[in-house]
Amino acid sequence: MPGLEDLRRAVGKLLKRSGPYEALVKEYVRDVQRALISADVNVRLVFELTRRIRERALQERPPPGVSRREWLVKITYEELVKLFGGDGEPEVKPRYTPYVIMMVGVQGSGKTTTVGKLAKFYRSMGYRVGVVAADTYRPGAYEQLRQLADRVGAMFYGEPGSKDAVGIARRGVEELRKRGAEIIIVDTAGRHGYGEEEALLEEMKNIAEAINPDEVMLVIDAAMGQKSYDLAKRFHEATPIGSIIVTKMDGTAKGGGALSAVAATGARIKFIGTGEDVDELEVFRPKRFVARILGMGDLESLLEKIERLQSVGEFEKTMEEMMAGKITFRTIYKQLHQMKKLGPFRKVLQMLPGFSAMLDSFDEAARVSEEKMKKWISIMDSMTFEELDNPELLEQRSRVRRLAIGAGVETSDVRELYNYYKTVKRMMKQLRKRKDILEKLSRLGKLPG
């Protein structure tokens, strides 16, 4: 994400720099200010935060074995966690069932898609989930939600053609309860954008009176930036049981503005949407979020995701092999299959301690497309056991030609796979060299991963 990604670069520059400590702090604080302002964080908040960072950096003394630069990273981490909502983590498991969630949001915020993501999230936790299509305002909302429900395995209720949103919501909740749904998510109509909150809150009130939801969730587009403050504040005042989902955190420079603005209201940010796919919804944990954007990794979050996909043992074994330097095409083959389950390699690397700080050096390797993965897997399916175990054999042109013909690809695709193997091998070698730095960071206390 532009802006917030610059924080990771600022940390990387700090750890590489040399010179008088006071001068390092001054330059680093300037980099942090630029990164946060470009991420649309309120200027007053930025200067308050960096003032605290500067004061603590110059006054506090790190514990034995930790350098002052590493301690400065920890200070930054702690202050950013405060900015984005503090130490607390939202409770996502319902206290009882059936549990009714009502979704509201500005039109275009990704609300209906988020209903599908939330249904998938709770399905993965083992709940029977039902969704109600009560958005009678936007053409196509009914069909979109019906398809999402089919895709994620959720029960569905809707009344195509009806404009009675309140009635649909009430009848839908009653019907899904009878069908055994443990979590019921009601999609409601949005409004045309920022500035029409009164109508949005009025509709929220009418439907809420009809279905008596256990929780009301407001969906906010990260692109709203600092404007999120007004909407979140009014929502939070209107419904003390409310929580918030910030969507489109993968493609906007204003994500920092939205998150910090919402946190400033005291409202609870419960989830963030990190992409278009139904799997790309994360519980918002400020500590982990900040750790990731600073390049410290989010290993715990990654392992949770892998566990849901029943791949923990496979993934750990692959990483052990790679850390030990035992990288062959067999390793790459397993890695690519795991990436297909986990999402883009870049996102996986951002969650791993040590890798995220190296992304700029290996940007090409970190941006492996789905299409490219399919070609590479096909190439490896055409390899002999000897080639799988000894990738350097691909230095031979005859082997490259044979594999290209066998996989139905170009010879350039085979060479690209071989270059990817060499890049991954080089990455792991550099990571092992950085082991001492990573061990120090892990001793800083309270840093996840």
Side-chain angles (χ1 to χ4, degrees):
M1 182 190 306
L4 290 179
E5 283 194 355
D6 291 340
L7 285 169
R8 174 169 52 82
R9 296 188 181 95
V11 170
K13 283 168 64 179
L14 171 69
L15 294 174
K16 292 174 185 175
R17 280 195 187 115
S18 58
Y21 181 66
E22 288 74 12
L24 290 178
V25 171
K26 184 178 180 181
E27 184 63 28
Y28 172 71
V29 164
R30 207 175 285 135
D31 288 342
V32 171
Q33 288 174 343
R34 279 194 289 260
L36 291 172
I37 290 171
S38 69
D40 200 41
V41 177
N42 180 272
V43 174
R44 180 181 57 80
L45 287 177
V46 171
F47 283 107
E48 284 180 6
L49 173 116
T50 52
R51 176 186 57 79
R52 290 195 301 270
I53 291 175
R54 184 187 298 108
E55 288 178 358
R56 291 185 60 189
L58 297 175
Q59 294 172 10
E60 295 180 10
R61 290 292 177 267
V66 177
S67 74
R68 296 184 78 182
R69 284 181 298 173
E70 291 163 351
W71 189 248
L72 177 51
V73 174
K74 181 177 185 289
I75 290 170
T76 306
Y77 164 80
E78 291 175 345
E79 294 297 336
L80 284 170
V81 167
K82 291 179 188 175
L83 176 69
F84 290 124
D87 290 347
E89 294 191 1
E91 179 55 63
V92 297
K93 190 174 181 180
R95 298 182 300 278
Y96 47 80
T97 59
Y99 193 80
V100 179
I101 300 171
M102 190 175 87
M103 306 288 282
V104 299
V106 172
Q107 192 169 15
S109 60
K111 179 171 47 59
T112 301
T113 301
T114 302
V115 171
K117 290 181 179 183
L118 198 60
K120 176 68 183 295
F121 177 85
Y122 281 115
R123 286 279 294 132
S124 72
M125 291 180 70
Y127 290 99
R128 298 189 69 194
V129 181
V131 297
V132 180
D135 180 352
T136 61
Y137 186 78
R138 182 173 64 86
Y142 170 92
E143 185 60 26
Q144 181 187 0
L145 188 57
R146 188 189 65 76
Q147 291 179 11
L148 283 167
D150 286 344
R151 183 176 172 188
V152 304
M155 291 176 267
F156 175 78
Y157 181 89
E159 299 176 12
S162 173
K163 295 296 182 182
D164 180 15
V166 175
I168 292 170
R170 185 180 62 251
R171 290 186 290 272
V173 169
E174 290 173 356
E175 173 66 22
L176 290 172
R177 274 181 173 149
K178 290 178 184 175
R179 290 165 61 185
E182 296 169 299
I183 294 177
I184 301 168
I185 307 169
V186 180
D187 187 23
T188 65
R191 285 297 176 265
H192 275 300
Y194 179 75
E196 296 190 32
E197 300 84 1
E198 286 297 338
L200 188 152
L201 293 173
E202 185 64 27
E203 179 169 85
M204 179 183 78
K205 181 180 176 182
N206 292 337
I207 295 180
E209 287 176 354
I211 66 174
N212 191 26
D214 299 288
E215 183 171 358
V216 181
M217 285 189 182
L218 173 67
V219 180
I220 291 179
D221 185 338
M224 285 180 70
Q226 295 178 47
K227 291 179 181 178
S228 302
Y229 179 88
D230 295 331
L231 185 58
K233 186 172 185 290
R234 297 179 72 177
F235 169 78
H236 188 52
E237 290 169 350
T239 171
I241 60 168
S243 57
I244 291 174
I245 299 179
V246 181
T247 62
K248 305 177 187 178
M249 284 295 296
D250 57 321
T252 174
K254 296 189 175 185
L259 290 176
S260 57
V262 172
T265 69
R268 164 61 70 193
I269 303 172
K270 203 163 192 177
F271 296 95
I272 56 173
T274 57
E276 291 295 323
D277 197 74
V278 289
D279 288 313
E280 294 181 304
L281 182 76
E282 296 180 7
V283 177
F284 181 64
R285 298 178 172 96
K287 283 176 147 184
R288 295 187 188 183
F289 178 76
V290 171
R292 193 159 68 218
I293 62 176
L294 289 181
M296 294 175 187
D298 188 0
L299 186 58
E300 186 179 351
S301 179
L302 177 63
L303 290 178
E304 283 179 359
K305 185 170 184 178
I306 299 168
E307 191 170 11
R308 290 203 305 270
L309 298 169
Q310 300 179 328
S311 300
V312 173
E314 181 186 359
F315 181 79
E316 287 180 342
K317 187 176 178 182
T318 302
M319 289 305 299
E320 286 170 7
E321 290 176 6
M322 294 174 75
M323 283 298 294
K326 299 174 184 175
I327 302 175
T328 66
F329 278 130
R330 292 184 192 274
T331 319
I332 299 296
Y333 190 85
K334 286 188 287 185
Q335 180 204 47
L336 291 176
H337 272 289
Q338 289 159 10
M339 283 163 54
K340 288 180 73 175
K341 296 178 184 178
L342 295 168
F345 192 26
R346 187 175 184 87
K347 286 189 178 180
V348 179
L349 290 181
Q350 284 174 338
M351 295 179 184
L352 291 171
F355 276 96
S356 53
M358 299 163 61
L359 282 179
D360 291 337
S361 303
F362 299 98
D363 194 61
E364 185 179 348
R367 296 184 183 277
V368 182
S369 68
E370 181 75 19
E371 183 182 356
K372 193 174 289 186
M373 278 195 282
K374 287 179 182 177
K375 284 185 179 180
W376 290 354
I377 288 171
S378 178
I379 292 166
M380 287 184 283
D381 282 336
S382 301
M383 288 183 182
T384 64
F385 292 151
E386 187 182 23
E387 288 163 346
L388 288 170
D389 292 326
N390 300 284
E392 282 72 18
L393 290 174
L394 264 65
E395 295 285 352
Q396 301 172 20
R397 291 184 181 179
S398 58
R399 290 181 185 269
V400 171
R401 284 196 299 272
R402 193 198 84 248
L403 289 171
I405 294 169
V409 298
E410 301 295 326
T411 55
S412 59
D413 294 317
V414 182
R415 293 192 190 95
E416 196 173 27
L417 169 61
Y418 182 50
N419 288 333
Y420 174 77
Y421 152 76
K422 290 192 291 186
T423 299
V424 170
K425 192 172 182 179
R426 193 162 66 249
M427 286 175 73
M428 299 310 298
K429 185 177 180 181
Q430 289 198 17
L431 182 58
R432 287 195 298 275
K433 287 180 181 179
R434 291 167 53 94
K435 191 175 181 181
D436 290 342
I437 295 176
L438 297 175
E439 286 176 351
K440 282 184 180 180
L441 283 175
S442 68
R443 291 199 300 270
L444 292 179
K446 295 186 179 180
L447 292 182

